[in-house]
Structure formats: C-alpha cells, structure tokens
Amino acid sequence: MRQTNLTGESTECLSAREELRQAEIELMRHRERVAELRRRLPLGPVVDDYVFEEGPADLRAGDEPVTTVRLSELFTRPGRDLVVYHFMYGKRQTQACPMCTMWIDGFNGIAHHVTRNVDFVIVAAADLPTLRTYARSRHWTNLRLLSAGAGTFKRDLGSEDAEGNQDSTVSVFARDGEGATRHFYSVHPRMADDIDERGIDLLSPVWHLLDLTRQGRDDWYPAVSYE
C-alpha cells in the first residue's frame, strides 16, 4: 500500500517504507492490546479521602478565597473516573519542572475535550499562591489546580520521596458501587532501570512528532519559554 503518489520513488525506498508500515501497524495493535489490559485492571484499594487546597476557579481572580476539597469531591458526577497529573513543583523541587510544564501546556489546550469524559486535575506540592502564580505565567486558565503540600497524597502515590524530591506521575481513581474512592492505575516516567523519563511519553505529542524526523529526539529537552 503506497502512502504517496510521488513519482521517482525507488524500489528500495518503497520496500523500506512498506517494512516500516508493517512495523507501525504491529505497534498500533500492540498499543491497543496494552490499553485493553489496562482497562481490565481490577480496582485497587480504597484510598484516604485526601484534602487539597484550591483557589478560585478563575485563575485571573487572584488566590483568595482558599478552599479545601477532598479527593472524593473531585468526581463531578457518577460514572466518571478521575485523572490526576502530579506536577513536579514544590518542596525540594524549587523550580517548576520544564518537562511537566510542556505537558501541562498541552493539557491546558485539550482540557475541555478530556473533561467531557473524565475529571482531570493538576496536583503539586507547591503552596497554592506559588502554584497559581506560575500557572498564570503559563496561561493555564482551563485547568483545575490543587496544592497537596500539606498532606501525604504525593508521597503515598509515589510522586514524592521522604526528602521531598518530586517526580511526575499520573494516577487514576474510580468510585466503586458503594461510592468509595479506589486507586485504579498509576504510571511513572521511570518504568525500569533502562527506561529513564520515557514511561509517560504518550502524554505528549511533542516526542512523537520529533520521532517522525530523521534526527528524532536526539538530546532534545524542553526549556521553559514565555513567548
């Protein structure tokens, strides 16, 4: 199956592209198998009803009043799962992670699509004014931003160590038939000794666009830009 109608393509080029196409088809099918395994996971344990701090829904409205919200209250209606992105910012992470920043920039643009099906929040260990000040600099006006610095949520979910070092993590929670909040799934960037910072790459299209090119990712790493 030819992917283009260009003239002058050599037999060698067409053969190599067909080999690649077959590999891409198998990769897609394998991703679907992995996604099905994930969907079939049994619900995990009931978790504590963690408490977070939250400011006004309108990021431009300042940081007061500060309210508290429990994990169970982040589910906006029955039948929806809750996705939490753990932002590397706060405690020992005194500067916002540029990689997380790149991901959250993208989440801000698609949040209105995501939240049609699931509830989605950003949680950081940074205190609320610090988190919201940084969010305003990034124009994250479409996201629900929560501070968990006063509790054990990030530590319990593996996105913070005992010294307060932060890590990016994605956690998914669900409610069972009795309404209890249960852990469903978590994934970290470091999935194995030989996988460093690649475990949640599917969250960002940046890597996949770069992988389409001859140079690939090379040693590219995001930097925080305010342009």
Side-chain angles (χ1 to χ4, degrees):
M1 178 184 295
R2 292 192 60 164
Q3 300 297 309
T4 67
N5 294 309
L6 300 173
T7 59
E9 288 187 293
S10 68
T11 301
E12 178 184 17
C13 181
L14 290 172
S15 176
R17 288 192 178 177
E18 177 59 18
E19 181 181 7
L20 174 61
R21 187 177 73 88
Q22 292 300 325
E24 289 174 333
I25 290 171
E26 179 53 34
L27 175 61
M28 182 205 69
R29 289 174 175 159
H30 186 68
R31 284 201 309 267
E32 289 299 311
R33 291 194 292 269
V34 170
E36 177 62 23
L37 287 173
R38 188 183 299 114
R39 288 191 294 268
R40 295 207 311 258
L41 283 173
L43 288 178
V46 174
V47 295
D48 292 342
D49 205 6
Y50 298 97
V51 177
F52 308 94
E53 290 187 338
E54 185 173 23
D58 185 350
L59 187 62
R60 295 158 293 197
D63 301 330
E64 301 287 343
V66 175
T67 58
T68 59
V69 59
R70 291 189 173 276
L71 182 67
S72 61
E73 296 171 327
L74 299 176
F75 295 88
T76 60
R77 57 182 180 268
R80 288 163 68 91
D81 287 351
L82 169 67
V83 179
V84 177
Y85 182 80
H86 300 249
F87 182 17
M88 290 177 65
Y89 193 24
K91 297 187 179 179
R92 296 292 294 274
Q93 186 87 26
T94 57
Q95 299 294 318
C97 169
M99 186 85 74
C100 290
T101 297
M102 179 186 74
W103 283 325
I104 300 173
D105 282 348
F107 299 155
N108 185 67
I110 63 171
H112 63 294
H113 297 295
V114 174
T115 54
R116 294 180 63 182
N117 294 320
V118 300
D119 293 309
F120 179 62
V121 299
I122 307 296
V123 172
D127 63 84
L128 199 60
T130 299
L131 172 61
R132 290 173 66 87
T133 296
Y134 187 72
R136 277 190 285 271
S137 75
R138 304 303 304 177
H139 309 289
W140 291 342
T141 56
N142 300 319
L143 298 168
R144 192 167 184 182
L145 305 164
L146 307 173
S147 172
T152 64
F153 175 77
K154 294 181 100 283
R155 174 73 171 136
D156 293 347
L157 271 298
S159 68
E160 178 181 297
D161 67 17
E163 287 72 45
N165 296 296
Q166 305 295 301
D167 199 0
S168 53
T169 300
V170 180
S171 296
V172 181
F173 300 90
R175 288 189 293 192
D176 63 22
E178 284 71 47
T181 302
R182 301 177 66 169
H183 178 258
F184 175 68
Y185 174 73
S186 284
V187 62
H188 303 268
R190 295 169 182 84
M191 300 183 75
D193 291 340
D194 61 338
I195 300 177
D196 186 25
E197 298 186 353
R198 298 285 297 272
I200 55 176
D201 277 8
L202 290 176
L203 294 179
S204 173
V206 174
W207 306 119
H208 309 294
L209 289 172
L210 293 177
D211 280 344
L212 296 177
T213 68
R214 291 183 302 165
Q215 182 177 342
R217 306 180 192 198
D218 197 27
D219 60 353
W220 184 88
Y221 195 87
V224 176
S225 171
Y226 294 93
E227 298 178 359

